[in-house]
Amino acid sequence: MSGGLLVAGTTSDAGKSVVTAGICRWLVRQGVKVAPFKAQNMSLNSFVTREGAEIGRAQAMQAQACRIEPTALMNPVLLKPGGERSSQVVLMGKPVGEMDARRYHGGRQEQLLGTVLDCLAELRSTHDAVICEGAGSPAEINLRRTDIVNMGIARNAGLPVLVVGDIDRGGVFASFFGTVALLSPEDQALVAGFLVNKFRGDVSLLEPGLEMLRGLTGRPSYGVLPFRPGLGIDEEDGMAVSLRGAVRESSLAPPVGDEILRVAVCAVPLMSNFTDVDALAAEPGVVVRFVDRPEELADADLVVVPGTRGTVKALEWLRERGLATALLRRAVDGKPILGICGGFQLLGERIEDDVESRAGVVDGLGLLPVRVRFAREKTLTRPVGEALGERVEGYEIHHGVASVAGGEPFLDGCRVGAVWGTHWHGSLESDGFRRAFLREVAAAAGRRFVPAADTSFAALREQQLDLLGDLIEQHADTDALWRLIESGAPQGLPFIPPGAPA
């Protein structure tokens, strides 16, 4: 077998990432050597590969679905938003500068097409199949000329396209039809069919509509995936301003001790790698929620200040909303706070930033004896260490260089009382360390909470990926998918007018 597939979507968040991961896991269970690929990703949730390259966390998750190590080849272009109009461009895992959308789509994106195609070709030469993920919608007619992630990559690499639609949002039939009808004849020739995602109810009620859609477009449905909670793993979510009220998926198992532990995550602007708290949510008896008001910290046993692409902006936001005062009060009362990456930096005494915000010298919250200076070179590492008597692994993605002048050592940062700070993302995925940390938090918060002795975050992640593979195997037409990946789009697919505008 030697082939590929592009999983596109009618909209952002249609389920492209999880469908791609599901197809990858289904294929690898059939003995296929498969790799994921996303030419261009916009996300603040990123990961560091073993060679020190920064890629989107969704592609790292998909690599895990393939049971292989992630590499920069799988996500050659990563855009990290720094505001509404500009992003840091990360090329082959390394930052190459800031760019606004007009400049990027005005020529820079087209220049990257060669690099993207080379990466895809290299993956295809070393794997039986490469499952590619698109971005947004393939029918973004205003961006088609410079597209390198949807139909642009499909056309250049001869990839068949499967369009995923989120029926939970409504309007899925119109979205499927409209997506095809807004593509040029050459692009339409690669769109093989559709996959319905997040369906609730009796599939037999949907089948007449799928038959009508086939009659209208000449393209079949490749399956109807049922809605399953808890599958939003490693989302991109690059521009979310606030997740207030959202509860991170938690284990259904009852708490081991007498009480639960409540974790509040400050939903700071440009929040990055909020997936750090997934390991906390996996613990029985731990409830994780995102907040943006000071009163929501009152009943929290632990407050997490997460990573952010805008440390100074996040600091201003905390002060404007009264959250900074609430954090200071918590520290005085000995109530636990954990700062991660940008959240660690703003807990310090002073920030000198002529790189990210260009704000110069700014006073931090002063909860930790730390001074931060932003360097132009980005730190991208996979550190291993020890804390609280346990082995810890993590990864670092930051421009800020911290000088620690006191407190107790804590990973690369420090601890003062019940306030902890570190640059290490992913540290809470180390099971022994997470349990030791939660015991410390429970003691400081006065909670009769006991972490489960057998929770394995890696095993839970594998179960999620297996569930995605099961969804494809049980609810998709896998024979048709196999033919599509191996042989490409069927010949003679009809053109649906009006097509793309001239």
Side-chain angles (χ1 to χ4, degrees):
M1 181 180 185
S2 177
L5 174 68
L6 176 69
V7 178
T10 56
T11 61
S12 295
D13 202 33
K16 297 183 293 291
S17 295
V18 293
V19 167
T20 299
I23 293 173
C24 287
R25 179 49 62 101
W26 162 66
L27 283 172
V28 82
R29 293 196 306 209
Q30 311 306 308
V32 177
K33 187 179 180 183
V34 59
F37 179 77
K38 185 162 185 172
Q40 173 192 290
N41 197 350
M42 177 172 279
S43 179
L44 287 172
N45 286 339
S46 57
F47 182 75
V48 178
T49 67
R50 293 206 180 279
E51 69 268 27
E54 184 180 9
I55 65 171
R57 271 201 69 100
Q59 280 60 66
M61 176 267 292
Q62 290 161 359
Q64 187 176 347
C66 298
R67 297 180 179 144
I68 58 177
E69 275 290 323
T71 72
L73 293 172
M74 298 170 185
N75 179 207
V77 182
L78 174 64
L79 305 178
K80 303 195 70 175
E84 293 295 330
R85 295 175 181 266
S86 67
S87 295
Q88 182 182 65
V89 181
V90 179
L91 179 62
M92 295 304 294
K94 304 296 181 184
V96 294
E98 296 281 335
M99 195 168 294
D100 62 36
R102 182 177 293 276
R103 284 179 59 208
Y104 185 68
H105 290 286
R108 178 60 168 162
Q109 192 176 31
E110 288 178 288
Q111 296 170 9
L112 298 174
L113 180 60
T115 298
V116 163
L117 290 172
D118 288 344
C119 290
L120 178 56
E122 186 169 342
L123 286 174
R124 296 183 81 175
S125 71
T126 54
H127 294 80
D128 301 324
V130 178
I131 308 302
C132 307
E133 180 188 342
S137 163
E140 292 170 346
I141 53 179
N142 55 315
L143 302 177
R144 177 60 185 91
R145 182 181 62 82
T146 58
D147 172 41
I148 64 170
V149 66
N150 289 306
M151 300 313 299
I153 193 76
R155 282 270 293 280
N156 278 280
L159 294 171
V161 178
L162 179 69
V163 180
V164 176
D166 178 0
I167 198 169
D168 202 44
R169 294 185 175 192
V172 74
F173 293 119
S175 297
F176 281 144
F177 183 87
T179 295
V180 179
L182 280 177
L183 300 178
S184 68
E186 296 81 3
D187 286 350
Q188 287 193 25
L190 294 173
V191 178
F194 314 105
L195 185 73
V196 177
N197 192 28
K198 302 182 188 177
F199 180 72
R200 307 171 193 250
D202 186 348
V203 176
S204 65
L205 298 176
L206 193 65
E207 288 171 351
L210 296 175
E211 281 302 311
M212 293 179 201
L213 184 66
R214 181 167 190 160
L216 288 166
T217 66
R219 291 160 173 85
S221 165
Y222 282 76
V224 178
L225 305 186
F227 179 87
R228 290 287 187 269
L231 295 182
I233 50 177
D234 293 352
E235 299 101 328
E236 294 173 0
D237 201 18
M239 287 297 291
V241 176
S242 173
L243 291 175
R244 194 185 76 76
V247 178
R248 206 65 177 149
E249 296 288 353
S250 301
S251 171
L252 297 178
V256 176
D258 296 330
E259 294 183 302
I260 65 171
L261 210 62
R262 297 175 177 86
V263 179
V265 184
C266 296
V268 297
L270 299 173
M271 183 164 43
S272 62
N273 285 62
F274 60 78
T275 48
D276 282 332
V277 301
D278 285 353
L280 294 177
E283 283 286 345
V286 176
V287 177
V288 178
R289 69 184 189 276
F290 292 87
V291 303
D292 64 358
R293 297 186 302 205
E295 56 268 27
E296 293 176 300
L297 303 188
D299 68 343
D301 302 305
L302 169 66
V303 172
V304 177
V305 187
T308 170
R309 173 83 164 84
T311 301
V312 171
K313 181 181 291 187
L315 183 58
E316 293 171 350
W317 181 87
L318 289 170
R319 285 175 168 144
E320 288 168 0
R321 289 179 173 257
L323 285 159
T325 301
L327 288 171
L328 293 170
R329 190 179 304 118
R330 283 186 68 87
V332 171
D333 293 341
K335 295 180 178 180
I337 300 169
L338 172 64
I340 302 174
C341 200
F344 163 47
Q345 295 169 2
L346 61 82
L347 293 179
E349 298 171 347
R350 190 182 73 179
I351 299 167
E352 184 181 339
D353 181 11
D354 294 319
V355 175
E356 190 175 76
S357 68
R358 297 181 176 85
V361 177
V362 177
D363 288 334
L365 296 184
L367 298 181
L368 293 173
V370 174
R371 295 192 172 192
V372 176
R373 179 185 56 81
F374 274 69
R376 297 199 177 278
E377 188 74 18
K378 182 184 281 191
T379 298
L380 296 168
T381 62
R382 291 273 293 270
V384 177
E386 184 176 303
L388 304 179
E390 300 287 345
R391 185 176 187 274
V392 190
E393 294 184 31
Y395 57 99
E396 296 185 53
I397 306 170
H398 54 91
H399 284 280
V401 178
S403 299
V404 180
E408 299 176 43
F410 178 69
L411 300 176
D412 70 317
C414 65
R415 170 189 181 179
V416 174
V419 181
W420 290 266
T422 177
H423 276 126
W424 290 22
H425 295 290
S427 62
L428 294 167
E429 296 178 20
S430 298
D431 297 325
F433 167 71
R434 181 180 65 255
R435 286 191 279 269
F437 176 71
L438 289 176
R439 282 193 290 269
E440 294 261 349
V441 168
R447 292 288 183 188
R448 296 188 305 277
F449 168 85
V450 178
D454 57 352
T455 301
S456 167
F457 184 75
L460 290 171
R461 175 53 56 87
E462 278 296 302
Q463 289 174 18
Q464 284 185 303
L465 293 172
D466 276 333
L467 179 55
L468 293 178
D470 292 344
L471 286 175
I472 297 298
E473 191 168 332
Q474 296 167 12
H475 300 281
D477 186 343
T478 52
D479 289 340
L481 270 180
W482 191 281
R483 290 192 298 271
L484 193 61
I485 294 167
E486 190 172 36
S487 305
Q491 297 295 309
L493 291 168
F495 171 71
I496 308 302

